Amino acid sequence: MTKQSKHKGRFLTLAAVFAGLTLSGAATLAQEKTDHPGVTPGEMAYKGAPVPAGEMKRVISPGAPDMTQAEFDIATKLYFERCAGCHGVLRKGATGKPLTPDITQQRGTDFLKVLINYGSPAGMPNWGTSGEFTEEQIDIMARFLQHEPPTPPEWGMQEMKETWQVYVPEDKRPKTKQNKYNIDNIFAVTLRDSGEVALIDGDSKDIVAILKTGYAVHISRSSDSGRYIYTIGRDAKVDMIDLFMDPPQIVATIKVGLEARSVETSKYKGYEDKVAIAGAYWPPQYVLMDGATLEPTKIMSTRGMTVDTQEYHPEPRVAAIVASHEYPEFIVNVKETGKILLVNYSDLDAITVTTLEAARYLHDGGWDSSHRYFLTAANQSNIIAVVDSKEREIEALIPAEKIPHPGRGANIKDPEFGPVWVTSGLGNENINFIGTDPEGHPDNAWKVVRVLPSQGGGSLFVKTHPKSSNLWVDNTLHPDAKVSQSIAVYDVNNLDAGYEVLPIAEWADVGEGPARVVQPEYNAAGDEVWFSVWNGKDQVSAIVVVDDKTRKLKEVIKDERLITPTGKFNVYNTRKDIY
């Protein structure tokens, strides 16, 4: 709890006003209708990547309170570490609301200090009372937000080439696997706050290696062959890990921008692993690279008009990217414009891009069980967009409940409705089942056919496996610790029976801390489910392994090197798009 000053009385008075607000209402930042997700106090799940303050040009705006260069540097760092992921680099708004001077100056310093300190019912984290920001930092941020946002530098081919390194050339890498591991059952585990990835052997549960990667790795993607893992940090650093080596190590790296979330490699027959792609949040662009070395070849901007109002957007960030199985194409989500790009990589000297109009703000998504249809969340619009990768068109735009957040989603065969794809949500407590079989079950296709209640909102991931009869749902960002520290599991063959709650964090026995349970992930055989118990940076975290058939605890993986584990990516399931 931060120490309060002479403004404590005013803070408490305004906080009491906030406590009575609802999600709808009049014109204040806390009252406006918002699609910022509800989060637990001090939640870091959407904090942005750190941008060096020295690279940012100070901006002084008329009508804004004074601040020194030192204060500007502090505020810039805090904003990019904590706020940019939701509100955007240019503060135009995305998952969070706009924070431009025309809004913030009208609210004033005292109001903004209260909002930052206590948060709001609309989902604004309580950065002060959670202990994340000091009172001095809150004051600096309240003044900083009333100035025009500084624009980070661009990041072009020269900057990329300067960061590109090949540690082990392709012809110097082993021709055959040099270790004893079943690499298909290796898990790449994000160690968020240490800027590392742990490779864990799914058979023995031993840590194979801890590798220094980008900051807060967002995803790890396996190459089509399974030999390589590509990771991307929120700081836009891409690392390529060779699993054939003993121990596995990083063989190439590049920084594709200042902030990013997505990486993928080609999977179409004849082009397997030939081309890699990474999408940036800043600058708003994606880059095509050589799949074996990460050498950058083409940079493509995403700046342009939005699909709804047809207004120019200066910061359309690249969200999910998947590799098509039907054509030599990448499917690229452009968050702020609501456009989905089909990027054909068959001729890198004459790249063709087909633009499909979906809805804003595009986030994550995954394939249906046939790997023909890509279903993806436009979370501000509360829409699930469906791309037919074979016909190369939008198949459907399906209304979904508030803030769908599928991760890659989950594919099951519903006993009543046939093949369905499942998503949970951040802003609602329901699990939505969408029919995905237009030929076998045409009456159910591209509509929500079943809605199940879960433990509550704040869910990040759902998961199942073709060999399993279970559907697992986390509630990582739920405000109730009993919910965020547990997992709900449904019987696919008896969905109306409701869910069973398993006390994952209790099984982990990590001691004090938030101990949020996040992202179920199956092993290659489909008979184990792994969960991250995500604690504070200076607290004990763990990986909990559950027997999928019995739903009983199988093993707890603890190691002082497992610092804030979050996402886990099994090599086989990732390269085969099994979820």
Side-chain angles (χ1 to χ4, degrees):
M1 184 75 70
T2 42
K3 185 179 179 181
Q4 302 298 326
S5 71
K6 62 182 179 181
H7 299 295
K8 179 178 179 180
R10 183 187 298 139
F11 274 3
L12 292 176
T13 300
L14 290 177
V17 174
F18 279 146
L21 297 177
T22 61
L23 289 178
S24 61
T28 71
L29 284 175
Q31 289 172 293
E32 289 173 352
K33 183 179 181 296
T34 179
D35 291 296
H36 191 298
V39 291
T40 51
E43 177 54 51
M44 295 292 98
Y46 288 93
K47 69 182 181 182
V51 174
E55 296 183 8
M56 304 292 283
K57 190 173 181 179
R58 184 182 174 200
V59 179
I60 301 296
S61 301
D66 291 338
M67 62 188 314
T68 67
Q69 181 65 51
E71 290 173 332
F72 172 83
D73 292 343
I74 291 170
T76 299
K77 184 175 187 296
L78 287 174
Y79 183 81
F80 280 94
E81 287 183 348
R82 299 292 191 266
C83 314
C86 275
H87 296 284
V89 170
L90 301 180
R91 306 209 302 259
K92 299 289 186 181
T95 309
K97 299 301 290 182
L99 293 173
T100 47
D102 59 316
I103 299 171
T104 55
Q105 286 188 21
Q106 182 181 355
R107 305 300 184 244
T109 302
D110 285 342
F111 179 93
L112 293 172
K113 286 167 69 174
V114 173
L115 187 63
I116 296 167
N117 191 59
Y118 287 97
S120 81
M124 175 74 180
N126 56 329
W127 296 114
T129 59
S130 68
E132 293 293 337
F133 286 5
T134 65
E135 186 175 329
E136 180 185 11
Q137 289 172 330
I138 291 170
D139 177 70
I140 290 171
M141 284 296 292
R143 288 183 282 130
F144 170 78
L145 292 175
Q146 296 174 70
H147 292 268
E148 288 289 339
T151 301
E154 298 296 320
W155 195 267
M157 186 61 73
Q158 178 180 340
E159 289 81 7
M160 290 189 194
K161 285 288 185 74
E162 289 174 354
T163 68
W164 172 52
Q165 295 185 66
V166 178
Y167 301 117
V168 183
E170 189 177 10
D171 61 0
K172 301 296 184 183
R173 299 170 196 168
K175 304 300 181 185
T176 59
K177 188 164 67 78
Q178 301 298 297
N179 56 60
K180 62 181 180 180
Y181 304 111
N182 170 16
I183 61 174
D184 261 350
N185 202 30
I186 283 179
F187 288 75
V189 181
T190 296
L191 305 182
R192 182 187 177 87
D193 291 335
S194 65
E196 297 171 315
V197 162
L199 301 180
I200 301 180
D201 178 13
D203 294 341
S204 68
K205 313 299 187 294
D206 293 334
I207 296 176
V208 173
I210 302 283
L211 300 173
K212 193 69 179 176
T213 57
Y215 164 79
V217 161
H218 192 65
I219 57 172
S220 297
R221 285 287 168 259
S222 303
S223 63
D224 185 79
S225 67
R227 172 173 182 168
Y228 296 106
I229 292 175
Y230 299 80
T231 69
I232 188 161
R234 295 194 174 208
D235 57 359
K237 184 172 181 283
V238 178
D239 291 293
M240 181 180 180
I241 302 167
D242 187 353
L243 297 179
F244 272 19
M245 302 179 79
D246 188 19
Q249 67 183 63
I250 294 170
V251 294
T253 189
I254 189 172
K255 189 170 168 61
V256 299
L258 297 176
E259 188 181 0
R261 295 294 188 278
S262 52
V263 68
E264 180 65 290
T265 59
S266 51
K267 292 185 176 180
Y268 186 66
K269 187 176 181 180
Y271 293 87
E272 296 93 339
D273 301 335
K274 299 294 185 185
V275 183
I277 183 174
Y281 267 27
W282 188 270
Q285 61 193 28
Y286 56 92
V287 57
L288 300 172
M289 302 167 284
D290 179 78
T293 66
L294 299 183
E295 180 179 8
T297 55
K298 297 289 182 181
I299 302 171
M300 308 286 283
S301 174
T302 57
R303 291 181 170 102
M305 302 300 178
T306 61
V307 297
D308 44 14
T309 60
Q310 294 292 296
E311 294 176 299
Y312 177 76
H313 200 292
E315 190 192 351
R317 299 175 289 178
V318 178
I321 300 176
V322 296
S324 173
H325 301 271
E326 299 285 349
Y327 295 96
E329 291 180 335
F330 293 115
I331 301 176
V332 179
N333 277 358
V334 184
K335 185 183 287 282
E336 277 76 14
T337 59
K339 295 178 180 179
I340 299 175
L341 310 180
L342 308 181
V343 181
N344 190 295
Y345 51 76
S346 60
D347 184 351
L348 294 181
D349 292 322
I351 296 173
T352 59
V353 179
T354 300
T355 302
L356 306 179
E357 295 198 349
R360 299 197 292 169
Y361 288 94
L362 291 166
H363 192 57
D364 208 352
W367 294 104
D368 78 310
S369 57
S370 73
H371 292 165
R372 173 175 172 173
Y373 299 101
F374 174 59
L375 294 92
T376 186
N379 51 26
Q380 186 193 23
S381 303
N382 300 323
I383 291 287
I384 297 294
V386 183
V387 176
D388 182 345
S389 67
K390 185 174 183 179
E391 297 298 329
R392 306 173 73 250
E393 63 185 14
I394 295 290
E395 180 73 15
L397 295 175
I398 306 166
E401 296 190 67
K402 188 173 177 64
I403 319 178
H405 194 287
R408 291 286 161 129
N411 289 300
I412 68 173
K413 190 169 184 179
D414 188 286
E416 182 177 352
F417 301 107
V420 298
W421 180 87
V422 182
T423 179
S424 57
L426 281 165
N428 72 93
E429 65 178 11
N430 292 328
I431 311 300
N432 288 265
F433 291 58
I434 295 172
T436 60
D437 185 14
E439 294 184 6
H441 298 78
D443 293 340
N444 301 329
W446 316 131
K447 61 181 69 172
V448 175
V449 295
R450 184 190 294 272
V451 178
L452 294 180
S454 72
Q455 293 194 81
S459 174
L460 291 178
F461 299 101
V462 293
K463 185 69 69 172
T464 190
H465 190 278
K467 296 181 180 179
S468 172
S469 61
N470 288 322
L471 173 67
W472 305 84
V473 181
D474 69 20
N475 290 95
T476 312
L477 304 188
H478 196 282
D480 186 342
K482 290 183 179 179
V483 177
S484 65
Q485 294 180 358
S486 63
I487 198 80
V489 54
Y490 300 76
D491 181 353
V492 169
N493 298 315
N494 188 16
L495 291 165
D496 291 331
Y499 54 83
E500 179 184 1
V501 177
L502 302 185
I504 302 298
E506 180 182 320
W507 288 349
D509 190 24
V510 293
E512 293 185 354
R516 296 174 288 262
V517 174
V518 63
Q519 201 208 30
E521 177 74 346
Y522 276 86
N523 64 344
D527 58 10
E528 292 177 354
V529 193
W530 292 36
F531 302 91
S532 295
V533 180
W534 171 20
N535 228 343
K537 183 175 181 179
D538 299 321
Q539 296 164 321
V540 178
S541 292
I543 304 293
V544 171
V545 182
V546 175
D547 185 289
D548 181 68
K549 185 175 181 180
T550 66
R551 301 181 179 178
K552 303 296 184 185
L553 175 64
K554 190 168 183 178
E555 190 158 348
V556 176
I557 304 172
K558 284 184 184 176
D559 190 292
E560 62 182 9
R561 296 173 293 172
L562 292 180
I563 299 170
T564 57
T566 53
K568 303 166 298 304
F569 303 89
N570 176 268
V571 168
Y572 182 80
N573 293 329
T574 301
R575 72 185 183 92
K576 294 294 185 180
D577 289 321
I578 295 173
Y579 32 81

